[in-house]
Each structure stands twice: as structure tokens, then as C-alpha cells.
Amino acid sequence: MAKPSAPILFFNSLSRTIEPFTPIDPERVRLYSCGPTVYNFAHLGNLRAYVFTDSLRRMLNWKSYPVNHVINITDVGHLTSDTDTGDDKMEAAANRAKKTIWDIAHFYTEAFWQDLKNLNIFNPTIWSIATDHIEDMIAFARKIEAAGFTYLLDSGLYFDTSRLKDYGLLAGHREEEGVGRIDTVAGKKHPADFALWRRSAEGEKRQMEWISPWGLGAPGWHLECSVMSMKYLGEQFDIHTGGIDHREIHHCNEIAQNQAFTGDDKKTGANFWLHNNFLVDRSGKMSKSKGSFLTLSTLIEAGIHPLAYRVLCLSAHYRSELEFSQDNILAALTRLKRLVIGVGQLKKKIQKKTGSETEPDWLRAFDERSYSKGAPLDYQRELIETPLKKEALAILERFDQAVSNDLMLPQALPLLEETLGNKKLQPEEQLRLIASMDMILGLNLLHLDRASLNMRPKNASLLENNVLALLEERQIKRKEKDFAASDAIRDRLSEAGIDVLDGDPLGWEWRPQWNA
């Protein structure tokens, strides 16, 4: 069977154009993604970046490319401003909690990893921890210094951006948009200059500080990504991802460091720079600086399955803003429920046709996590797709064209619903198509069931068995036309955090109330 083979196209932030993608090494794609600063929980806006990156990696694997994927963990160096001002985020968090900075880093790293697991996001090939690479960063900065790109101030070693003719190219109109929001640091030659190494202030005792040629202190935030991406992926690799907020300063500074280190202005670090846009919350709860923000745990505690958030992310193109609201997340949950119900019905049809209560051999053998270490999907796709006929292959071709066109997942996602509703396809063909498409979409549709989606809110005062018993009693009262008793039961459920769904076309009788 000839697999779909639409050419891969990406919008490259460096050129501001759609470009065809060809890996430097045809045997392996090298991908670097900016990771979290682990001083607090990741909010939902942060997590959108990792749904995007996971979908990107899955698509490349689906297209038969092995992927070497690196994500960093920033546990030192990131100031409260993305430039060179404010307190160190890690030190500040440790002081507030009256804990060691190492304890803070460990706790929030583990919390972040749990979020990724709940969102069905694969681990990268390498988790790269900033504090494991301090000596590498010092050596990197020394080479830049020797090349004449730095100057020393009392506050640390700074990069002289005027030495690069194309500094800020990634940000577009750098002088007009980017520099204007960079705060002044005493002694800097140019507003855009940034710290490679920050000296500890006289009399200051930090929990994280190291001896360097420029004094006791800590690396600048921008340094770690240049150092770790080059160490694990080489001086020039294929793709660098991150949030659009990194495009104006952080990634410009990465590129400057890369060019200075290599002595080659063509070595920007990555051939393609891909940036996901913001998640917008009109309630203002998506900013850690305001002290109140929505996390994945917020959704889970409200009784919303975490994969509903993945559905929400897939419903908008990664370069577009995505609005978060109560209505939107509940609509995404409903969409997920429809898909899960549909897949469950397909399995029952197949079992009825075969006269067996067990799943088909190919489904039992299917394991999407077999490629979680970056392996391509040739074997899994062949296992699933070989029996597909013309009608099914036509849908798969449209899916391939969508995901290959700058990861246009909002066009790919509806093909799941189209497949479920396609009466021309046999149930097994439908299920095989969904299995293949879900390798990229990552919704775990072959293994989710109805019961797992009906999650109780954390603060619900009734056990699920009590809820079901009350719903059954309410149905009896409604049949007896005892509407007063029926309404009383509905009110009791509402007080317990449960919304009754009379006449729900999906057959769901209740859902958790939204209390976030």
C-alpha cells in the first residue's frame, strides 16, 4: 500500500513564509522545544505549547521520520522579566515557600510531567536540565567572549548585539517592537544587549550560584537553550519550537549566541523556527503574575477530562489565538464524548459481526507508545492501514494533506467525525482509519471509555453511585409525573455539583458543574 505522501510545509518565523520542509539528515529529524521554568505550576496557556509540539512530533513520526526531540527544564537563570531585570523566578519561589530551590524545582518538574502524561503527550528523547549543564554554559560563554562579542559590567557578562548585522531578524521590526519593551540595565551599551552571566550582587547569598571567570553567579536565561540544543542536536538542526512570546527576545538572543559561537551568521541554530500563539482567557486567569491562573488540575478537579483540553487545542491552528472559556471547554468535552461513543459503537459492531467479544488482533497489537522514543510509525501504520480500500484511503489522503500543510489540525480533526458517520465504510475500516489518524491527534480514542469521561468534581459531596441512584429515582418520579419530587432531586444534585442533562442526545444524564 502506498502511504499518503503530501509534502510537509511549515510557516518559518525566520522568513515569515511557508516553506517546504526537508530534514538536514534524511534519517532523523532533530527537534528542540523550549521547556518550562519550574517555579510554579504550568497554566493552560503554557500547556498549549506542548500539545502543539507533541502533535508536530507525532506527525513527523506518522510520516515515517524518526525524531530526536529535546526539551529543556529551566531550573535556574530565568528572571521575572524576560530580559535582564527583576528577581530570579526560582529564587523568588523558594523564598516564598521557605523551601530550597532544589525542592521547588523537583516539585514543579514532577507536576509538569504529570500534566503531560494527563494530556497524552509523549516524553521527548531527552529531558535536558539546565543545572546539569553549568560547565557547558561557562565554556560556551568563554568562546563567545574570546570572539569579541561581549563586555563586562559589575552586574555580569553581556552580549554586544551591535556586533551582529542581522540581530533581531526573527522578531521582524525589531527596533520598533522589541527593543521598546526592554528595561534599562546600568552600563549596557545598547538596550537589546543581554546577560550571558549574571554576577551575584555584593553581600547577596543565592541558593544557586557557581564560580565562573566573571565572578560568582548564575548563567543568563538565554544561554541554556543555545548550549543544550547544540550539545544534543548539533550546531544546525531542523526545528526549534516555542511560544510566540519567545520570538521577540529569547529566540533572537539564542540566534545571536549561536552565530557568535560558531562564527557563522548562517548558523541560526535551527532551519525552521515554529511558534504557537497564545491561549486567551477573557476572565484574566491565564497570567501567573496576577497570582491566579487556570491549570490542568483546575479542569480535572472540576470534573473535566484533561483530553477535552487537548481537543480544544486541536480545534484551532497553532499560529492562531485560541480563546478559553467555560463554554468552549465544555463543548470540547462534548466533542470528545461523541468520539468516544462512536468508537465504542464501532467496536461492538465488529464484535457482533465476528461473533467474538475480544478486540481484533490488529487492535490488540496496536501500541502508539511504541514510537514514544522517536521511532517512525512504518510498522504500526502498515499493521493498521494495509486492508483499507479506495474510499477509506481517500479520507486518509485528505488527512495527510491537512497535517502536512503547516500542521492544519483544525481541518484534520473533523475527519474523525466524518469517518464515524461514513456509511460507505465497514466498521473495521472506520476503526482502522480512526486508529491511524489518532496517532497524530493523540486523543487515545481506542482506549478511552464512557466511564472514564464522567469524572466527579473534587468538591462533589456525592459518590458516583449515589449520583446514579438519585438519577434513577428521578426518572421514576418523572414517569409518575411527580415533578415536585423530581425537581427536588435535581436541586439536591445541583447543590452537590452535578448538572442534570435531560434529553441529552449523547445519552449522558449528568455532567459536573464548572466552578473554576
Side-chain angles (χ1 to χ4, degrees):
M1 180 200 68
K3 292 186 176 69
S5 56
I8 299 175
L9 304 172
F10 290 132
F11 180 87
N12 191 348
S13 293
L14 200 57
S15 65
R16 293 295 203 277
T17 60
I18 294 284
E19 299 178 17
F21 172 76
T22 302
I24 298 168
D25 176 0
E27 298 299 319
R28 184 166 296 272
V29 174
R30 289 173 288 164
L31 168 64
Y32 185 88
S33 301
C34 278
T37 303
V38 285
Y39 72 103
N40 207 330
F41 295 107
H43 64 54
L44 291 178
N46 301 142
L47 292 174
R48 185 188 184 192
Y50 304 103
V51 174
F52 153 59
T53 300
D54 184 60
S55 303
L56 170 65
R57 174 185 164 182
R58 286 168 174 269
M59 183 272 285
L60 292 166
N61 287 152
W62 192 82
K63 301 279 283 186
S64 298
Y65 286 114
V67 178
N68 188 12
H69 186 198
V70 178
I71 301 180
N72 68 298
I73 296 290
T74 298
D75 56 355
V76 65
H78 194 167
L79 302 185
T80 49
S81 163
D82 286 352
T83 54
D84 295 307
T85 60
D87 297 325
D88 185 299
K89 289 183 176 182
M90 297 299 301
E91 295 275 352
N95 291 336
R96 283 195 303 271
K98 295 183 172 27
K99 294 182 178 179
T100 72
I101 199 168
W102 307 98
D103 288 341
I104 291 292
H106 175 75
F107 178 82
Y108 288 115
T109 298
E110 291 291 333
F112 173 70
W113 286 343
Q114 184 60 50
D115 283 343
L116 298 196
K117 183 177 180 180
N118 287 336
L119 287 168
N120 202 29
I121 291 173
F122 293 147
N123 283 324
T125 318
I126 296 171
W127 284 111
S128 185
I129 313 297
T131 50
D132 291 343
H133 298 80
I134 300 299
E135 292 303 319
D136 295 327
M137 294 185 215
I138 291 172
F140 194 98
R142 290 187 70 174
K143 184 173 179 181
I144 293 176
E145 181 184 38
F149 284 88
T150 66
Y151 57 91
L152 194 60
L153 298 177
D154 289 342
S155 55
L157 183 70
Y158 283 80
F159 189 101
D160 186 348
T161 56
S162 69
R163 293 292 312 279
L164 293 172
K165 64 178 181 179
D166 287 330
Y167 174 75
L169 179 64
L170 183 67
H173 301 294
R174 187 68 170 84
E175 292 298 323
E176 297 160 16
E177 297 177 3
V179 175
R181 67 184 182 92
I182 298 179
D183 297 320
T184 301
V185 172
K188 283 207 305 186
K189 293 181 178 180
H190 313 285
D193 293 352
F194 57 93
L196 294 174
W197 188 265
R198 293 181 293 106
R199 280 179 176 164
S200 297
E202 188 174 349
E204 176 187 27
K205 178 59 181 173
R206 300 165 53 84
Q207 290 192 45
M208 283 187 174
E209 54 186 7
W210 294 265
I211 297 172
S212 81
W214 315 286
L216 194 65
W221 171 48
H222 312 294
L223 191 59
E224 65 177 89
C225 287
S226 287
V227 169
M228 294 188 288
S229 62
M230 279 196 189
K231 179 170 184 173
Y232 296 112
L233 301 176
E235 290 185 355
Q236 192 72 11
F237 50 95
D238 295 297
I239 304 171
H240 194 311
T241 71
I244 197 170
D245 51 325
H246 290 339
R247 189 183 64 188
E248 306 301 318
I249 296 176
H250 178 47
H251 287 167
C252 287
N253 293 349
E254 270 192 66
I255 289 173
Q257 292 167 157
N258 298 340
Q259 292 170 328
F261 181 85
T262 61
D264 186 344
D265 61 6
K266 292 183 174 57
K267 288 190 173 178
T268 57
N271 284 352
F272 284 79
W273 292 76
L274 308 184
H275 294 95
N276 64 278
N277 213 321
F278 294 113
L279 182 72
V280 179
D281 178 17
R282 306 299 178 192
S283 71
K285 290 186 178 179
M286 215 58 70
S287 172
K288 293 179 186 177
S289 63
K290 295 179 180 178
S292 175
F293 54 92
L294 296 176
T295 66
L296 195 64
S297 293
T298 309
L299 298 187
I300 294 171
E301 290 173 5
I304 307 296
H305 196 283
L307 288 178
Y309 180 64
R310 185 165 185 132
V311 171
L312 181 64
C313 290
L314 298 178
S315 67
H317 189 248
Y318 76 91
R319 288 194 289 115
S320 301
E321 284 190 349
L322 172 61
E323 182 167 355
F324 180 88
S325 68
Q326 175 179 339
D327 288 344
N328 287 349
I329 192 63
L330 291 177
L333 179 61
T334 297
R335 192 172 192 180
L336 180 62
K337 287 178 177 179
R338 289 182 186 276
L339 292 169
V340 168
I341 288 172
V343 170
Q345 290 171 343
L346 289 179
K347 288 181 179 180
K348 288 180 180 178
K349 288 178 182 178
I350 294 169
Q351 289 171 349
K352 184 177 180 180
K353 184 175 181 180
T354 60
S356 171
E357 294 184 2
T358 61
E359 293 181 333
D361 291 342
W362 68 267
L363 183 53
R364 290 201 302 274
F366 172 68
D367 176 18
E368 67 167 11
R369 288 193 175 270
S370 66
Y371 71 99
S372 63
K373 293 186 178 180
L377 283 168
D378 297 78
Y379 170 74
Q380 293 287 6
R381 288 191 62 192
E382 185 175 351
L383 174 74
I384 292 169
E385 297 171 9
T386 297
L388 296 180
K389 297 176 183 177
K390 183 178 179 180
E391 183 82 25
L393 288 174
I395 294 174
L396 199 62
E397 183 177 358
R398 288 165 55 204
F399 180 83
D400 177 58
Q401 289 170 348
V403 299
S404 301
N405 182 20
D406 197 28
L407 207 65
M408 196 61 69
L409 298 179
Q411 293 178 4
L413 184 60
L415 293 176
L416 288 176
E417 286 110 344
E418 181 179 323
T419 297
L420 284 170
N422 193 320
K423 304 302 183 185
K424 296 180 181 178
L425 300 176
Q426 293 298 312
E428 182 152 328
E429 278 192 303
Q430 291 172 293
L431 196 60
R432 286 177 180 272
L433 260 181
I434 288 167
S436 180
M437 291 188 284
D438 200 35
M439 289 181 188
I440 295 178
L441 300 175
L443 297 176
N444 200 27
L445 293 174
L446 273 65
H447 303 294
L448 272 184
D449 57 28
R450 182 186 178 102
S452 64
L453 291 182
N454 240 342
M455 298 172 61
R456 288 177 62 251
K458 183 180 179 180
N459 61 356
S461 59
L462 293 174
L463 297 176
E464 184 168 348
N465 287 341
N466 299 136
V467 172
L468 297 178
L470 285 170
L471 287 170
E472 185 176 349
E473 181 183 351
R474 183 170 179 269
Q475 289 300 329
I476 293 171
K477 296 301 181 183
R478 282 166 62 86
K479 288 179 181 177
E480 294 174 351
K481 299 189 182 302
D482 187 350
F483 297 116
S486 169
D487 290 347
I489 294 172
R490 181 195 60 205
D491 293 342
R492 181 180 172 188
L493 288 166
S494 180
E495 290 171 2
I498 301 297
D499 280 339
V500 177
L501 302 176
D502 289 329
D504 179 40
L506 297 181
W508 247 267
E509 296 177 305
W510 62 276
R511 75 178 180 194
Q513 291 174 355
W514 176 262
N515 295 312

